[in-house]
Amino acid sequence: MTWTSQFLTKCFTAFNGLRIVWSGICIIKMIEQCQCCGTEFRRYNGTFKSGPNYILSHDNRTVTQCSDGWNTVAIGNEPIPLGTITIIKFKIEKTIYSHIMFGIAPLSIDQKLVTGYSKCGWYYYSHNGGLYCQPQLSYSNFKFRDDSQLPEGTIITMIVDTTIGKISFKINDSLIKTAYQVTFPESIAPCIMLYNKGDSVRMLQN
């Protein structure tokens, strides 16, 4: 498949020198190859699992918080394959103060877990650009970006390179920035946590 003019064809240097086209994901094939350097990457083909304290859209791609508090844990329904570079895109559909965590967690995470961002997984906080994660790193509002209350319509792109254990983020058209380098458990999936009732996030298909 060739890239058309609507796709971004410029490569960004990241992940120990690998050059990857982060945008321009094929909407038909799960696996694509960068024409500039040959690096293969894939888009996440799953959706969200159902769970407590939130409702899902008919296609299971939009999560809406239905009770205030850090008690909404929406996890993907399919694991991210190990040995791959996987891209997941989210859109903030509705928010009050952008109290939303975007990240990766074990597929087995307890969906009733309160303040799970400090106990299970690795997250980016769209309210202030901080990082939160589980032990052993135990980040708690570790300064990562200068973002402040990302508004509705913001696109958060998450790049998960399981070949070397890196999680990176791209906010709208900003440069990609690596947040974590960790050892992943066997089964991980995209995970979001929302605080305010009525806030909603959509997992995009492309």
Side-chain angles (χ1 to χ4, degrees):
M1 169 172 281
T2 59
W3 301 110
T4 65
S5 59
Q6 65 181 311
F7 293 137
L8 178 66
T9 56
K10 182 179 179 181
C11 285
F12 294 94
T13 300
F15 301 111
N16 289 345
L18 288 179
R19 298 193 309 151
I20 300 156
V21 175
W22 299 122
S23 296
I25 305 169
C26 174
I27 63 174
I28 300 172
K29 296 166 63 179
M30 284 184 59
I31 299 177
E32 270 299 333
Q33 188 174 60
C34 174
Q35 290 188 342
C36 299
C37 64
T39 300
E40 287 190 348
F41 60 93
R42 71 187 302 277
R43 62 180 174 87
Y44 183 69
N45 204 43
T47 58
F48 287 111
K49 289 172 58 176
S50 59
N53 305 315
Y54 63 88
I55 57 175
L56 291 173
S57 59
H58 70 281
D59 60 359
N60 294 333
R61 288 191 170 275
T62 300
V63 173
T64 302
Q65 229 277 31
C66 56
S67 66
D68 285 324
W70 286 117
N71 58 359
T72 298
V73 180
I75 187 80
N77 68 342
E78 294 184 6
I80 295 172
L82 298 182
T84 67
I85 299 170
T86 300
I87 300 174
I88 308 102
K89 285 189 176 183
F90 301 100
K91 181 181 180 182
I92 300 176
E93 296 273 297
K94 186 177 180 181
T95 188
I96 301 175
Y97 303 112
S98 203
H99 289 306
I100 308 170
M101 299 281 180
F102 296 87
I104 293 294
L107 198 58
S108 60
I109 188 173
D110 180 359
Q111 290 186 271
K112 296 179 181 178
L113 193 62
V114 178
T115 62
Y117 51 80
S118 64
K119 302 168 185 173
C120 189
W122 303 268
Y123 303 92
Y124 161 77
Y125 186 28
S126 62
H127 178 73
N128 64 8
L131 298 179
Y132 290 78
C133 72
Q134 65 182 39
Q136 302 165 332
L137 289 177
S138 295
Y139 286 166
S140 179
N141 201 27
F142 180 85
K143 193 63 177 176
F144 174 59
R145 294 176 53 93
D146 293 326
D147 302 317
S148 177
Q149 296 188 30
L150 295 183
E152 294 174 2
T154 300
I155 305 296
I156 294 95
T157 303
M158 184 167 60
I159 305 101
V160 183
D161 186 345
T162 60
T163 66
I164 53 176
K166 282 193 176 181
I167 306 171
S168 300
F169 293 91
K170 182 176 183 287
I171 312 302
N172 290 326
D173 294 324
S174 68
L175 293 177
I176 298 162
K177 189 173 181 181
T178 297
Y180 300 100
Q181 182 156 14
V182 297
T183 300
F184 293 120
E186 281 191 13
S187 188
I188 56 172
C191 184
I192 63 168
M193 301 180 184
L194 305 93
Y195 181 84
N196 290 115
K197 183 178 180 179
D199 276 13
S200 65
V201 169
R202 183 166 182 78
M203 185 187 296
L204 302 179
Q205 288 182 286
N206 60 352

